Amino acid sequence: MKCVGNLLSLGLAATLASAAPVVERQLDLYQLQVSSPMNEDLDGRFLAINNSTLGLFGGDIEPVKVYPVDSTKEGCNELHTYPVGFVDHSIGLYGPPGLLTLVDMMNPDSIVPDDGSVAVFDTFRIVDNKVTNDAEGQWLAFPDGSNDWKVKWSDGTAVTTADYMVVDVMYISAGEGRYNGM
């Protein structure tokens, strides 16, 4: 009889534990806004993701939301995309050295770049609400169709077309989101 009582109390404890709410924590979310006072078509627009590329796109594409994660590189951050899912997504820089495209990286720790390419996701610096890369350089926006622009990081060594605009990428608060530990 004592055994049945122990099993019932163990069953009750297991039921209560499984019915306990999932612990959630709040994430500070941000959007990435382009500042380009010399170009009204770019200035004030928010970056979005289209086919894994971050840029400025026409149509009804929602602006990307990110949350910061401390990088293992001193003074740097990773910028992971929200909402949080089973697969980790982070924004990163990918492409040939000298001109790296701002992209959405799935499972960024596992990315192996093609020969002659660079892939980084843990080198963003946020200073005075501006996002930069840890390497010397600047953000450039390149036109890509009607009213679409791709954003790239240039260190000044790559040969580029002359139709780009120098821009800043601003780090703008977008409220809070939930992270449930998935």
Side-chain angles (χ1 to χ4, degrees):
M1 191 66 167
K2 184 176 181 181
C3 182
V4 172
N6 286 341
L7 285 176
L8 286 175
S9 62
L10 181 62
L12 178 61
T15 301
L16 291 174
S18 66
V22 174
V23 175
E24 294 183 348
R25 66 181 169 106
Q26 294 298 109
L27 295 172
D28 292 327
L29 299 179
Y30 297 87
Q31 290 177 317
L32 305 174
Q33 184 180 44
V34 168
S35 174
S36 180
M38 302 301 282
N39 187 321
E40 291 177 3
D41 291 334
L42 298 177
D43 193 42
R45 290 175 63 188
F46 288 94
L47 293 176
I49 298 172
N50 189 14
N51 295 325
S52 297
T53 300
L54 273 82
L56 305 169
F57 305 104
D60 293 331
I61 300 176
E62 285 288 317
V64 65
K65 289 184 180 175
V66 298
Y67 61 94
V69 174
D70 288 337
S71 170
T72 57
K73 297 178 179 162
E74 189 174 333
C76 293
N77 289 284
E78 300 172 12
L79 295 174
H80 292 257
T81 59
Y82 183 84
V84 178
F86 290 108
V87 178
D88 184 26
H89 281 260
S90 180
I91 65 169
L93 297 167
Y94 188 88
L99 191 63
L100 303 172
T101 302
L102 193 57
V103 297
D104 172 37
M105 294 182 169
M106 185 170 58
N107 293 324
D109 284 323
S110 66
I111 290 183
V112 177
D114 298 330
D115 287 343
S117 290
V118 175
V120 292
F121 69 96
D122 56 356
T123 59
F124 293 106
R125 290 196 179 270
I126 302 164
V127 178
D128 297 328
N129 291 330
K130 288 185 182 178
V131 177
T132 62
N133 186 28
D134 193 35
E136 287 292 320
Q138 63 187 352
W139 293 112
L140 304 178
F142 290 86
D144 187 44
S146 68
N147 211 25
D148 290 352
W149 296 76
K150 289 186 178 175
V151 177
K152 300 175 183 256
W153 181 262
S154 172
D155 67 7
T157 63
V159 176
T160 64
T161 58
D163 58 351
Y164 65 84
M165 293 295 301
V166 176
V167 299
D168 286 322
V169 175
M170 307 303 294
Y171 192 66
I172 307 296
S173 177
E176 292 185 338
R178 291 191 314 260
Y179 174 69
N180 61 9
M182 284 204 268

